[in-house]
Amino acid sequence: MKKFITKRNIIIASAALALIIAGLSAVLIIRKTTTTIAFYGISPELSKVVEDQIKGICPKAKFISLDSEKNLTPSKADNYSVVFAWDGKTLKGLSKKAFAFPDPMYNIYPLNVRKNYTGKNGNFILPVLMNYFEFAQYKTYRTMLKSEIPETGAEFENYLAAVKKYADYPLVCTGESVEELFGFISAFAESVLGSEEYSNLVDEVSLTWKKTRTLSTKLTDVLGQIRSLQAKGLINPRWYDTTVKEGSSFMEDREVGIYAMTLDQHRKHDFIYIKYYETNPVPLYNTTVKHSLVSPVLGAVVYRKNRDTRAIVDYITSDKGQTELSTKSRLAPVTLHSEAFDNRTTDIRYWAAAYPNPPVNYISHAAMTNDRDRKDLAQTIRDWLKN
């Protein structure tokens, strides 16, 4: 075989190898120099808002939506210039290779928000926007009852019992949506447990699910209290399977006393109906402990330091950028002095700052790292509540 390895063959092979190496180098250079923005676990509507605003300052940036059914690891995230995702177990695990920001950069946020992202938390996540899970009261029925806004768990359940003479469903939640289901359970759990025990609940849920894919003891304790609302007829039957469309129908027929929903869902309801609903802080079942606002935060993690990423960081941390993002998304801004979309988003930012402890995310994101596990856990919860 050696007689066929001629000088000409060696030259051709060398040239081919050089072309392959050159091609690979070109791909690597493009990957490192092209600004690529990745969205992980973010709705298409919100991704579009952020994309449109970034295009205004970085017109050549590329955008990609990642598969949130799969885990996002630091090595995968490092393929992109900036990653946007909801804060939680996934985002907090992306510190490796991420760019860390100096403490003074975080002075633009309320102290409570700042605490979540500085010091031992690594200074690598920049908060961008806040969502919220609200208990919105139908003002007409509250006026008819001449009732004050419920502030405690006891007042809350007494109000639900009283409003039952007007509303078929004193409390409505649309748990067919994974986000709505976890939003309600998380807000209720934090109200019952307080910040410290809520954090312990999250840890227990994460560990139990990882080991046995079953519900943790602390979680079933909370679900048991929710099931008691079902037994008393204070929440819509099979709320855990109720769709947003069904919830809208209840609202239009004036069958609702309090509608528990995400701020996202609130924005999608017809204004002619939703304008009669007032958002107030979630009533506290446990008034002897410190609490946190249950308010998911959209965060950004930066992996490239160049002109484009500096422009993006400047934008999302500026009052102008925060105001525009809040206005376009209709979510709450996170910086101290930016203008919010409306009074509701102004209140959310104020509550996040005023609660004794920093905001927390839903159990689904605080304990889980991908949408596949969140969906499976949600279905396990629904099955438990049915029994």
Side-chain angles (χ1 to χ4, degrees):
M1 293 294 289
K2 289 183 180 179
K3 63 181 179 180
F4 294 104
I5 305 176
T6 64
K7 184 176 182 180
R8 181 173 177 271
N9 289 341
I10 292 173
I11 291 171
I12 292 171
S14 299
L17 181 60
L19 286 172
I20 292 171
I21 292 171
L24 288 172
S25 298
V27 169
L28 291 173
I29 290 169
I30 289 171
R31 178 173 288 180
K32 293 296 184 182
T33 58
T34 300
T35 299
T36 307
I37 312 302
F39 300 115
Y40 181 78
I42 302 172
S43 69
E45 296 85 359
L46 182 54
S47 297
K48 183 69 164 55
V49 167
V50 177
E51 179 177 331
D52 286 347
Q53 298 310 112
I54 290 177
K55 279 180 177 177
I57 54 176
C58 302
K60 293 183 179 180
K62 306 295 182 184
F63 298 86
I64 183 171
S65 290
L66 305 177
D67 184 358
S68 54
E69 295 274 323
K70 300 176 181 177
N71 286 337
L72 179 61
T73 63
S75 60
K76 291 178 183 176
D78 186 44
N79 290 320
Y80 310 101
S81 306
V82 183
V83 174
F84 287 88
W86 290 107
D87 189 15
K89 193 169 184 179
T90 294
L91 202 64
K92 283 183 166 59
L94 298 182
S95 61
K96 188 177 180 181
K97 298 185 179 181
F99 184 76
F101 298 94
D103 278 346
M105 271 199 67
Y106 289 85
N107 291 338
I108 60 174
Y109 307 110
L111 179 59
N112 253 356
V113 174
R114 203 183 314 163
K115 287 177 181 176
N116 271 344
Y117 303 105
T118 55
K120 66 179 182 180
N121 294 310
N123 291 57
F124 69 96
I125 298 172
L126 290 176
V128 181
L129 291 166
M130 285 190 290
N131 205 331
Y132 177 58
F133 195 87
E134 62 183 50
F135 282 29
Q137 292 184 328
Y138 184 50
K139 293 182 288 185
T140 301
Y141 290 156
R142 197 179 77 218
T143 300
M144 291 168 67
L145 288 168
K146 299 179 181 179
S147 172
E148 298 295 323
I149 297 168
E151 295 182 354
T152 68
E155 291 172 357
F156 174 63
E157 293 199 21
N158 287 339
Y159 179 81
L160 294 179
V163 82
K164 197 172 181 181
K165 68 179 179 179
Y166 301 117
D168 290 344
Y169 310 121
L171 177 63
V172 164
C173 181
T174 54
E176 186 269 343
S177 157
V178 172
E179 183 181 13
E180 298 292 334
L181 180 124
F182 277 116
F184 176 63
I185 293 172
S186 301
F188 192 90
E190 203 290 327
S191 168
V192 168
L193 300 172
S195 303
E196 185 176 343
E197 281 303 309
Y198 182 83
S199 177
N200 292 336
L201 165 68
V202 165
D203 291 341
E204 186 184 271
V205 168
S206 179
L207 184 61
T208 303
W209 187 257
K210 184 177 180 180
K211 284 185 173 181
T212 64
R213 296 187 77 81
T214 58
L215 304 182
S216 75
T217 301
K218 287 182 185 293
L219 181 57
T220 54
D221 287 345
V222 171
L223 294 177
Q225 293 192 53
I226 293 175
R227 195 154 62 180
S228 73
L229 296 179
Q230 297 170 199
K232 296 173 186 176
L234 299 181
I235 191 169
N236 55 305
R238 298 181 66 86
W239 67 269
Y240 39 81
D241 284 328
T242 299
T243 65
V244 173
K245 184 176 180 180
E246 289 172 320
S248 294
S249 178
F250 299 158
M251 179 184 290
E252 292 168 14
D253 293 339
R254 302 187 186 92
E255 295 176 333
V256 182
I258 294 178
Y259 201 131
M261 60 185 152
T262 60
L263 178 58
D264 271 341
Q265 185 187 158
H266 183 117
R267 299 303 190 193
K268 293 172 183 174
H269 285 295
D270 193 322
F271 181 72
I272 196 171
Y273 301 109
I274 198 65
K275 68 181 180 180
Y276 294 107
Y277 285 79
E278 180 180 75
T279 301
N280 294 295
V282 175
L284 302 180
Y285 273 79
N286 189 340
T287 58
T288 64
V289 295
K290 293 181 178 180
H291 287 274
S292 295
L293 186 71
V294 178
S295 179
V297 173
L298 178 68
V301 178
V302 179
Y303 289 94
R304 302 287 179 272
K305 187 179 180 182
N306 57 41
R307 183 182 299 174
D308 279 354
T309 56
R310 281 195 293 269
I312 292 169
V313 168
D314 287 346
Y315 179 76
I316 64 177
T317 57
S318 70
D319 286 344
K320 176 180 182 293
Q322 282 281 297
T323 298
E324 290 177 350
L325 287 166
S326 176
T327 301
K328 298 290 185 181
S329 68
R330 300 191 292 178
L331 297 177
V334 285
T335 56
L336 285 164
H337 303 299
S338 52
E339 292 183 26
F341 171 69
D342 59 7
N343 289 338
R344 181 166 284 100
T345 44
T346 298
D347 287 343
I348 292 168
R349 178 175 53 186
Y350 169 75
W351 293 332
Y355 268 68
N357 288 335
V360 294
N361 203 337
Y362 303 151
I363 295 167
S364 52
H365 282 72
M368 303 285 161
T369 56
N370 62 69
D371 284 347
R372 183 184 62 253
D373 280 344
R374 292 177 192 120
K375 290 174 184 176
D376 288 348
L377 177 59
Q379 191 54 51
T380 303
I381 289 171
R382 293 189 189 101
D383 292 341
W384 192 93
L385 289 167
K386 289 174 186 176
N387 297 324

